[in-house]
Amino acid sequence: LLNYIFQIFSAIAILLCFLAYLAPEINPSYFRGLVFLGTAFPWILLANVALLIFWAWHLNRFALYHIGILAIGWQYVTGFIGLDVGKDPIPSDAIRIATHNMGHMWKGKMTDEQYTVLAKEYAADLEKHGKPDILCTQETRSRFYKILAREMGYPYNFNLKKGTVILSKFPLSSGGEVPFEDTQNSSLWVDVKVGSKKFRVYNVHLQSNRVTTVTQKVMEDGDLNDQETWSDIKKVVKKVDNATRVRAEQAQQLRAHMEACKVPLVVCGDFNDTPNSYVYKTISSGMTDTFREKGLGFGTTFAGALPFLRIDYILAGPNFPVYSCIVAKGNYSDHYPVIAVIGG
């Protein structure tokens, strides 16, 4: 009986894994049912790995089925788990870029002195991994980024007073906003001059789900026998559903903007979607995901209620070789910074 039950679990895990592979291929504006499977892929992946180990331990053919489904979607597995163990020499003209959503970093109303202390501590932690030449931040308070720019020695910055900021040690020749219409977030671009070269950096913050508080409540205090818990779950599903539709439209707008760009480009920021999503596939097509290329270990970038989510990225255009990428763990925000070194 136990063997039969585990076979049913295996069949379900394999089916869910296959459906999760389809999530990036289908625009959620037309069919949203696969969105949640794409988001849940890290847990579906872990379930398949656990069942693979179980069946392999018992020398059962079901282990081969799990190996097969993982092999079919290996590109999706590497979207969450970095496997690069080598260390490439970094040339002197390489560029270090970082992106970080600073949400939940703020402790209510703060004085300039408090911002300064926070900026010094944050800068010291970030610079342990090498000072970024370009720092892209989201959900940033305007008073803080000015102090941070001073403390870290960034002479150039660009923002449109919407929380999305680009700080740079290199001159910025031009910049603007990606014209999203239906959004509570913002996405910017700047053209960066490095000597005689110029390239574009996008700092992207796509539509947020805005379900962190409710999700945390369900996970910590939820009782499936309580009607309020199911009401909260319905709220989460509805919000995610609506935000996913908006992000899909934003991804298409961003892609069109990228394709009109005449110079090499890099895309950084918080997509609010996983590598198993239509949004990620739309934006990353033809780009190099720096974590996939040079990351090692779990690529979790979200430190909130749901574990294992990777939603923050640095994507490099084909003109840029990638030398390294790390996710810098810390306690400043509900996101972790992503730091990549790419060719100059």
Side-chain angles (χ1 to χ4, degrees), residues 8 31 47 156 198 243 290 300 326:
I8 293 175
F31 181 70
Y156 307 100
K198 183 168 72 171
T290 56
T300 303
I326 64 166

Side-chain angles (χ1 to χ4, degrees), residues 145-320:
Y145 91 77
K146 294 174 183 177
I147 294 173
L148 182 63
R150 182 190 70 204
E151 294 296 329
M152 296 189 70
Y154 290 116
Y156 307 100
N157 68 74
F158 185 75
N159 87 101
L160 293 175
K161 299 181 180 180
K162 296 183 178 181
T164 307
V165 179
I166 301 174
L167 305 175
S168 174
K169 82 169 192 179
F170 304 116
L172 308 178
S173 63
S174 57
E177 183 175 14
V178 180
F180 298 155
E181 296 178 1
D182 183 12
T183 183
Q184 297 168 322
N185 300 338
S186 63
S187 295
L188 310 179
W189 62 269
V190 294
D191 286 339
V192 182
K193 294 181 67 177
V194 182
S196 61
K197 299 179 181 179
K198 183 168 72 171
F199 65 95
R200 179 166 296 181
V201 174
Y202 287 90
N203 184 6
V204 178
H205 189 198
L206 301 186
Q207 181 67 30
S208 303
N209 292 316
R210 300 190 181 278
V211 296
T212 300
T213 302
V214 179
T215 302
Q216 192 162 356
K217 176 187 172 186
V218 170
M219 294 187 67
E220 293 179 355
D221 306 318
D223 181 356
L224 294 180
N225 294 317
D226 187 349
Q227 186 175 354
E228 183 179 354
T229 298
W230 285 105
S231 177
D232 288 337
I233 291 173
K234 289 179 181 177
K235 289 179 184 177
V236 169
V237 171
K238 185 176 181 180
K239 284 188 174 183
V240 171
D241 191 42
N242 291 334
T244 299
R245 174 187 56 80
V246 175
R247 283 197 298 274
E249 295 173 357
Q250 291 175 344
Q252 292 171 336
Q253 290 175 289
L254 175 60
R255 186 71 209 182
H257 203 283
M258 292 165 58
E259 290 178 352
C261 179
K262 303 301 182 183
V263 297
L265 55 88
V266 177
V267 180
C268 305
D270 176 7
F271 294 4
N272 273 306
D273 251 318
T274 70
N276 273 61
S277 67
Y278 175 83
V279 165
Y280 172 86
K281 182 181 179 183
T282 300
I283 299 171
S284 66
S285 177
M287 306 286 285
T288 300
D289 184 330
T290 56
F291 179 79
R292 282 181 186 265
E293 186 77 5
K294 290 295 177 180
L296 180 63
F298 282 100
T300 303
T301 66
F302 182 62
L306 291 174
F308 305 122
L309 291 183
R310 179 176 175 238
I311 58 177
D312 303 88
Y313 307 89
I314 298 176
L315 309 177
N319 308 76
F320 298 101

Side-chain angles (χ1 to χ4, degrees), residues 2 4-14 47-48 51 55 66:
L2 183 62
Y4 180 69
I5 291 173
F6 271 92
Q7 287 179 1
I8 293 175
F9 285 160
S10 283
I12 293 172
I14 290 169
N48 276 275
L51 287 164
W55 291 120
H66 289 286

